[in-house]
Structures are given as C-alpha cells and as structure tokens.
Amino acid sequence: MKQHLTITFIFIIALLCNSVNVNAQSGITPKPLYEELQKGIFTIKKKTAVYTNLEGEERTNMLSFLKESSLKISKKGKLGKKNTISLLLVEKSEEFPSPESYQLSITPAKITISATNGAGLFYGVQSLLQLANQNEDSRIIKLPASLIKDTPRFGYRGLHLDVSRHFLSKEFIKKQIDMMAYYKLNRFHWHLVDGAGWRIEIKKYPLLTDSAAWRPYNTWKEWNKNGKLYCTKENPKAKGGYYTQEDIKEVVAYAQSRFITVIPEIEMPGHSEEVLAVYPELSCSGKPYVDSDFCIGNDSTFTFLENVLTEVMELFPSKYIHIGGDEATKKGWKNCPKCQARMSSENLKNVDELQSYMIHRIERFLNDHGRKLLGWDEILQGGLAPDATVMSWRGEQGGIAAAKASHQAIMTPGEFCYFDAYQDDPSSEPKAIGGFLPLKKVYSYNPVPDSLSSEEKKLILGVQANVWAEYIPTPEHMEYMIYPRLLALSEVAWTAPERKSYTDFYERALKAVTFLESRGYNTFHLKDEVGERPVSLVRENHLAVGKKVIYANKYYHNYTAGGDSALVDGYRGGWAYADHRWQGFIGKDLDVTIDLGSSMTVHSINADFMQIIGPGVWMPRNVEIFVSEDGITFTPIKQIDNDVPENKEELVFRDFGWEGNAVARYIHYVAHLNNKGGFIFTDEIIVK
Ligand code: ACM
C-alpha cells in the first residue's frame, strides 16, 4: 500500500512538473508546437562558439548570418563542447515531420539545434535569436534553458507586396525579407507589374522600363486622377523606378539565403495598361491607353509573354510563376476580329473560355520549362488549366473549388489577408483603400475550410498576406500597414490551431512592436489601438427589432448582411461595409417598409450610411421618411438632403433621421441613390 502511494505521489509530481514546464511560454512568435522551460541559463560569452555539420553554401550562409545577427557569433567551435552552439543536420525521423521542423535545446552548458534540413536549422536559429532579443536590455545575453520542438502547420507562408502602384527600393524589400525570415515566413510574392507601372528590366522589351515604369506624378492617386499617362525616365517630373536584372538576382539570392522563395508575378491578361501603353500592338484596339487586357487573338501577345517569361525564369528559380489572371475586363475581346477568330478556331463558347485558353497555353509553356503556374482565382473561369494552383482572394470559394477539383490552393481572402485595409478606427489612421482588418481578425483566420474533406484539406498549401499599394505612397507607410499584422499572419501560417490564443499572442505582439521600432521599422502602435466601431459592439434594442421588412428593391447579393432581417436585427455595422453587418444596394434606392405589427407612438427613426469613394460607396442623395397606420396612406414626416461632399476622401458616417412624435404601424424609409450611382450601405433602421 505504502509503495503504491509513493508511486502515485511520484506520478502526480511528475505530471505537475511536466504541466508547469510545458505550459511555460518562450515568447517566440509564431508560437512553437512544444516549449518547455528548464532550469538554468546559458550565457552568451565572448568565447561562445558555433559548430555545424552543414556544408557548402548553406554552411557559409548560416555562419555569416550568425555573425551578422544580434548574437554576433563568429568563433568556430567543436561538437559537444561547452559554450558551443551546435547546428546539426540529423537523419529524417518522425521527430521532424517537415524539412522546416527543428528542435532547439538550451542547457546551461550548450545549445543544440537539430533539423533534417538547412531550413529547419535556420528556423531554430530564428527562435534562438528571438529568445536572445528578449534579453537585449542587459549587455550580456542570457538564455533560459529550454527545449523547443517545432514544426510549421503550412509549407506556404507568404507575404505579397505590390511595387507597381508605388515602387519600393530593393533595400526596402531586403529589409522586409529580414523580418519575414525572423517570423518564419517563406514565400515572397513580388507583384512586379500592373497597370500602374512595370518594375522589372526585360532586355528584349526596353520600353517597359524606359517608359512604363515612370509617371509624372508623386503618387498613384494623383496619376490615377490625371489621365494615367506614363512619361520617360528623362522627364523632370518622372517618378517611379524598376529593378535591373542584377537587382533582382541580388534580392533573390538574399531571400534564398534566408529560406525564402521569391515568386514573381507577371500579370496577364488583365491589369496590363502599362504594357499596352508602350506596346499597343498587343491590344485589341492597337492604340495606347485604350485597353487593359492583352489581345488573345494576336499571336504576338504570346510571343511577348513567352519572351518575358523566359527572362523571368532565368532570374527566379521559384517553381511557381504567378501569372496574375485577376480582373480582366474582357471588354475588347468581344468586338475584336482577332479574338473572335481565335474563339472560332479553338471552339471557345465565350470570353471566359478565351481567357482559359490563354492560361492553358501559358501553363504549357511554363510546364515545358519545368515550372508551375500560380494565378488569382479568376483562372478558374472558363476551366482551370490542368496543373494550376489557385490563389484564392475573392473569399475562400476559389480555393475550395480548386481543392474540390484536386488542385492545390493558397488562401488569401480579402476579409482576413488584405493588409491595405484599415487596421484601426479609420479616423485615426492614414487614408487606406477601405475595409477594416485589425490584428485580432488576421489572427482569427483559419485557412482550411470545414467544407473540405480531409484529402481536399491537404491541398490547401498555406496562406498569404497581400499589401496592395494604391494608397500607400511611401516605404514608411508600407511598413505601417505590414506590422504588426504580419506577425498574426505568421502565427496563422505556422502555429497549430490548438496552440493559438489571441490573449497570449497580443502580449507578444505588444513587445514585438517595441522590438520592431528598435530595429528601424515603422509599425502601427498597437498599444493605442481603438478597435472596432463602438456602436457595433453592443446590440441596440429598439421598436423595430425582429419586425417584418418589405423591400421594394433587393439588396446586392454580396452584401446581404444576413438578408431581410438585417436592418432590424439590432446589430450595427463596424468600420467596413464588408463586415456582414452593412446591407448594400447597387444602382438603386434603398426603399423599405417596416411593419411594427401594431400602431404605436414613435419618437425617432434613424439610419446610418457610410461614404468611401475609392470603392464607390456614396451617401444617399437624400432620404425620405413616411409613416402610416393602415399601410395604405403614408404621411411624409421628414426629408433630409445629403450634405457630405462627394469629394470627401476619408471614410465618413452620417445619420439620416427624424425625431418627434408620431403614431405609426408602418415606417417607409427611402434613401435615394446618389447621382454618382454606385453603392449605398446602411446597417440598421432604428425606431424608438
Ligand atoms: C486582387 O486583389 N485583384 C488579386
């Protein structure tokens, strides 16, 4: 009996110790799979040395990385010696499920990082650096003894930067690659070309960078407003730039030494105004500044694209080449004799199939050169090319459709991954394109939809943050949009869902902001975060809640906010019209009648609208409010004209309401469409 008790006691103590240790936080982001704090510390000293069994270029890269890191270790050590950091390639085993898996063991005597691949060792070093940087205040770096066993959730962990709308220097790109590596991201999607500027030297087509890389305006916004013309580099007002092929090689090598693959994007068939401005013969009209899509009936389009892609493939070793594919207008194709002839000779029923023909043809070209095609989810239109991977941005539907058709997909839905959206109360933020994507929302994302089978789920390769730069004219502003949201994305991409906790992450993110600033990054000040629109956080109880609403005009299918009950559900909208609380009407009035069920005294009727002119969301021209007791005879009680200027650029909210005394069973609320057309959005009709 006594022995039995002793064993039970030992077992309980062991359990307790284990749970205390296992739950200990290392403070590393993204949060590792397993972390155990142990007794003692390892101190980095002058004599601390490094040993590795890595060979060749990987060895050289790793040693120079460590020397230049905050650890500043250059002394060569011997395996197993005291005060040595050993980076060991080990045999493949279940302990290391991925080439990026690693184990980091810190004891008072030595540090050992093991992995089956250079990538894993590199990530072990990043974790070590993060531990070291937490102790930066003291001049001596002391590392708590610990054991970390880590492996990523996804193999694709990406950041996309748009350098077309505003050019970013190669130094800036390298600076962001440093932070990507630090937070264990491994794909840099370089949006090198778009309608607002071509940014990569192509030797065969010099006009792309002699002219299509330069605009006579400081910002995209001014250029966009003033005719969208290019100039030459020699123009005294020329603003822009491009990467020479040498620059590209430098960035690719820099990224590669940090285990980041650079995926170039060459847009086709849409978003190609800049190419068609300088090589108009590749468009349906044959004239500059008319079309945004390549002419697909024209064989010289394919010659051009294949020549460009040939030079691109020489510069980028990436298996994936991104060919864009998004938002082609397909306008010119309908009346273009060459496109029509192509459709007829290839038996293509419509312009979607014409686009698909092009993507298939480009895919064959890439495959013939040993590469794989990656494109935005519009490449599904008209039939997906046989081996294409889909980048799902218009929600998750594209990724789901791809996986269900046995294709691989990368999730980057706007709602969770578009870092050009506001990250806080828009009135306290620099102007953004719209939307609202706070840190917490990025963090909440799960890139694997429940609707997929377990086999289909494996086809979701990972997740990516996209930063589009229309409203991001400076590098400082770009960093502000990236950080600290990129840390949340990194944890979405790396950390096992059961290990995630926003409260825990938030504390780390607060510290990371200080760290990033100390390293010269301009970040959003998380500690001053205002958060969501206050009225959206509480449910508003009022007389119309749950009552019947009769719509004269149907709301737009993408912005239903939950349907017929949305305007009387008690829930107000947040900062963004796409948050499923705002109901949108396109090209028509909001015209609804609420039946309160019985006549009652009413003292106020209010509804909010928002204006954000970038995406075409306008205030109503005016609002009319009527009441009725019988539902037949309506009495007008208020007419309110809009007084928000059409050129007001900031996101603005305005209430259109009435106060007084009326007896009513029916309320008829009409918000007339603005002369601009576009959308009107409201969130709730509040009756008191
Ligand atoms: C995109 O945002 N047009 C991919």
Side-chain angles (χ1 to χ4, degrees):
M1 181 67 183
K2 194 170 167 201
Q3 195 188 5
H4 186 79
L5 272 178
T6 313
I7 289 171
T8 311
F9 180 68
I10 291 171
F11 183 62
I12 289 170
I13 293 290
L15 259 185
L16 277 176
C17 289
N18 206 29
S19 66
V20 168
N21 286 336
V22 171
N23 288 335
Q25 310 283 323
S26 64
I28 292 169
T29 300
K31 195 174 182 62
L33 188 61
Y34 177 88
E35 43 195 347
E36 182 185 329
L37 212 55
Q38 298 171 335
K39 268 215 174 120
I41 50 166
F42 178 99
T43 308
I44 305 258
K45 301 184 179 138
K46 270 218 170 81
K47 63 178 182 189
T48 301
V50 59
Y51 167 84
T52 181
N53 61 356
L54 278 169
E55 289 174 359
E57 201 178 335
E58 279 196 333
R59 178 189 178 86
T60 318
N61 284 341
M62 185 66 89
L63 292 177
S64 77
F65 185 87
L66 271 174
K67 190 172 159 188
E68 282 155 32
S69 75
S70 53
L71 294 175
K72 298 191 184 68
I73 296 172
S74 55
K75 217 164 148 355
K76 310 288 181 315
K78 291 221 172 74
L79 177 61
K81 278 272 179 187
K82 232 180 148 222
N83 253 300
T84 297
I85 302 175
S86 300
L87 310 175
L88 302 178
L89 281 181
V90 296
E91 288 293 312
K92 287 193 179 123
S93 74
E94 280 171 12
E95 294 258 292
F96 300 95
S98 133
E100 296 179 309
S101 308
Y102 70 91
Q103 293 190 3
L104 164 62
S105 155
I106 304 176
T107 70
K110 60 181 183 181
I111 295 178
T112 312
I113 300 174
S114 33
T116 63
N117 190 288
L121 291 182
F122 185 75
Y123 293 130
V125 167
Q126 301 314 308
S127 290
L128 182 64
L129 280 176
Q130 288 202 19
L131 292 175
N133 291 338
Q134 289 172 19
N135 294 285
E136 269 199 324
D137 294 348
S138 57
R139 297 231 325 271
I140 304 163
I141 299 176
K142 288 177 190 289
L143 301 164
S146 37
L147 174 64
I148 289 168
K149 298 181 182 183
D150 205 3
T151 197
R153 180 177 181 198
F154 295 108
Y156 188 113
R157 306 180 299 278
L159 171 66
H160 154 290
L161 295 181
D162 163 17
V163 295
S164 170
R165 274 50 177 255
H166 291 103
F167 180 66
L168 293 164
S169 71
K170 72 174 174 196
E171 289 76 21
F172 178 87
I173 300 292
K174 285 160 76 177
K175 188 177 169 199
Q176 310 321 310
I177 283 174
D178 286 343
M179 253 340 123
M180 286 178 69
Y182 192 69
Y183 292 111
K184 302 190 177 85
L185 297 171
N186 65 358
R187 297 288 184 277
F188 172 51
H189 173 171
W190 208 352
H191 191 78
L192 285 162
V193 307
D194 205 305
W198 183 279
R199 308 294 181 201
I200 170 173
E201 178 189 25
I202 300 294
K203 305 261 192 215
K204 253 205 171 88
Y205 300 102
L207 293 182
L208 292 172
T209 43
D210 287 349
S211 175
W214 304 96
R215 307 181 306 228
Y217 296 95
N218 277 332
T219 63
W220 174 88
K221 208 169 76 185
E222 291 164 74
W223 171 80
N224 190 51
K225 238 183 8 210
N226 289 289
K228 304 194 207 185
L229 301 180
Y230 292 95
C231 61
T232 60
K233 192 176 172 176
E234 287 71 37
N235 186 315
K237 288 195 178 150
K239 185 99 180 151
Y242 65 91
Y243 309 101
T244 64
Q245 295 203 346
E246 288 310 305
D247 292 337
I248 299 272
K249 285 181 202 161
E250 185 183 323
V251 171
V252 167
Y254 189 83
Q256 213 163 24
S257 70
R258 285 154 181 78
F259 294 90
I260 292 172
T261 303
V262 184
I263 300 174
E265 180 179 346
I266 302 298
E267 273 272 15
M268 64 189 81
H271 280 281
S272 298
E273 292 92 336
E274 85 292 20
V275 179
L276 305 177
V278 293
Y279 295 109
E281 63 276 18
L282 304 177
S283 69
C284 292
S285 70
K287 298 189 190 107
Y289 300 113
V290 175
D291 299 283
S292 58
D293 308 331
F294 283 99
C295 172
I296 300 184
N298 192 341
D299 277 332
S300 50
T301 291
F302 290 92
T303 310
F304 171 85
L305 290 171
E306 290 177 8
N307 285 337
V308 167
L309 289 172
T310 299
E311 290 193 35
V312 165
M313 287 188 287
E314 277 162 19
L315 296 168
F316 294 91
S318 162
K319 184 96 180 154
Y320 277 123
I321 304 291
H322 200 301
I323 55 80
D326 59 318
E327 298 182 309
T329 68
K330 302 169 188 158
K331 261 201 270 181
W333 303 348
K334 292 183 182 131
N335 300 313
C336 166
K338 285 183 187 163
C339 286
Q340 291 301 312
R342 177 83 75 196
M343 285 171 69
S344 153
S345 68
E346 297 291 334
N347 249 330
L348 308 170
K349 288 195 289 295
N350 51 44
V351 287
D352 283 351
E353 290 193 5
L354 184 60
Q355 170 169 297
S356 169
Y357 161 84
M358 173 191 213
I359 307 289
H360 274 71
R361 198 164 151 178
I362 294 294
E363 177 176 67
R364 278 197 301 278
F365 179 76
L366 292 175
N367 290 167
D368 287 348
H369 292 79
R371 308 302 179 98
K372 259 175 87 79
L373 183 143
L374 174 59
W376 300 111
D377 56 53
E378 288 92 331
I379 63 170
L380 284 151
Q381 293 165 358
L384 193 53
D387 196 31
T389 298
V390 171
M391 195 167 259
S392 192
W393 72 279
R394 296 174 305 165
E396 291 186 319
Q397 280 317 308
I400 292 170
K404 287 199 178 292
S406 303
H407 283 252
Q408 294 177 321
I410 293 149
M411 289 299 192
T412 175
E415 191 179 344
F416 296 95
C417 297
Y418 269 42
F419 287 9
D420 52 346
Y422 287 105
Q423 60 195 314
D424 202 6
D425 173 355
S427 69
S428 64
E429 288 298 288
K431 184 172 164 43
I433 198 161
F436 179 57
L437 180 55
L439 188 69
K440 189 173 183 177
K441 181 141 190 201
V442 179
Y443 193 81
S444 73
Y445 185 47
N446 178 5
V448 181
D450 289 339
S451 60
L452 295 180
S453 70
S454 55
E455 279 312 300
E456 289 160 356
K457 283 177 177 164
K458 292 183 192 148
L459 295 167
I460 306 299
L461 301 181
V463 58
Q464 175 174 289
N466 296 337
V467 204
W468 301 97
E470 284 91 338
Y471 293 92
I472 308 179
T474 66
E476 294 75 27
H477 189 171
M478 180 54 92
E479 284 182 355
Y480 184 86
M481 301 307 271
I482 298 174
Y483 304 105
R485 287 187 287 195
L486 192 65
L487 280 68
L489 194 279
S490 95
E491 196 142 314
V492 167
W494 181 282
T495 302
E498 62 276 15
R499 294 279 292 155
K500 283 175 67 197
S501 146
Y502 186 69
T503 327
D504 166 47
F505 168 76
Y506 179 78
E507 290 305 317
R508 284 180 281 126
L510 279 176
K511 290 184 187 142
V513 167
T514 312
F515 165 75
L516 285 159
E517 287 192 321
S518 76
R519 293 294 194 271
Y521 291 80
N522 183 41
T523 87
F524 168 69
H525 282 163
L526 185 59
K527 68 174 170 40
D528 302 327
E529 186 180 35
V530 174
E532 190 42 288
R533 189 171 176 237
V535 291
S536 71
L537 299 175
V538 282
R539 191 158 187 225
E540 177 101 37
N541 205 4
H542 57 89
L543 295 176
V545 169
K547 297 297 192 289
K548 187 173 169 133
V549 182
I550 301 133
Y551 284 82
N553 295 321
K554 190 84 180 162
Y555 35 83
Y556 185 61
H557 61 86
N558 274 357
Y559 300 110
T560 67
D564 286 4
S565 60
L567 300 184
V568 290
D569 62 2
Y571 291 111
R572 307 284 302 277
W575 299 124
Y577 59 79
D579 68 0
H580 309 293
R581 295 269 188 94
W582 291 90
Q583 194 165 66
F585 296 80
I586 187 161
K588 47 194 169 192
D589 300 343
L590 174 154
D591 185 335
V592 293
T593 304
I594 301 169
D595 179 358
L596 296 173
S598 59
S599 284
M600 55 187 78
T601 307
V602 170
H603 297 294
S604 68
I605 301 168
N606 294 78
D608 264 353
F609 292 79
M610 71 157 74
Q611 178 166 301
I612 176 141
I613 64 181
V617 177
W618 302 98
M619 286 294 162
R621 185 177 75 246
N622 66 5
V623 163
E624 292 178 279
I625 307 173
F626 307 82
V627 291
S628 166
E629 285 202 77
D630 59 8
I632 298 162
T633 312
F634 281 84
T635 312
I637 55 169
K638 185 88 176 182
Q639 173 161 353
I640 313 141
D641 288 333
N642 175 40
D643 53 11
V644 175
E646 282 176 352
N647 59 0
K648 189 165 175 66
E649 293 206 338
E650 295 76 29
L651 170 66
V652 45
F653 298 86
R654 189 204 191 285
D655 175 84
F656 290 77
W658 159 87
E659 275 182 27
N661 267 307
V663 175
R665 172 173 171 177
Y666 298 93
I667 291 164
H668 184 195
Y669 191 104
V670 190
H672 293 283
L673 191 67
N674 194 292
N675 296 331
K676 292 275 189 185
F679 275 106
I680 43 179
F681 274 95
T682 191
D683 56 348
E684 185 81 2
I685 298 179
I686 301 165
V687 182
K688 289 186 175 163

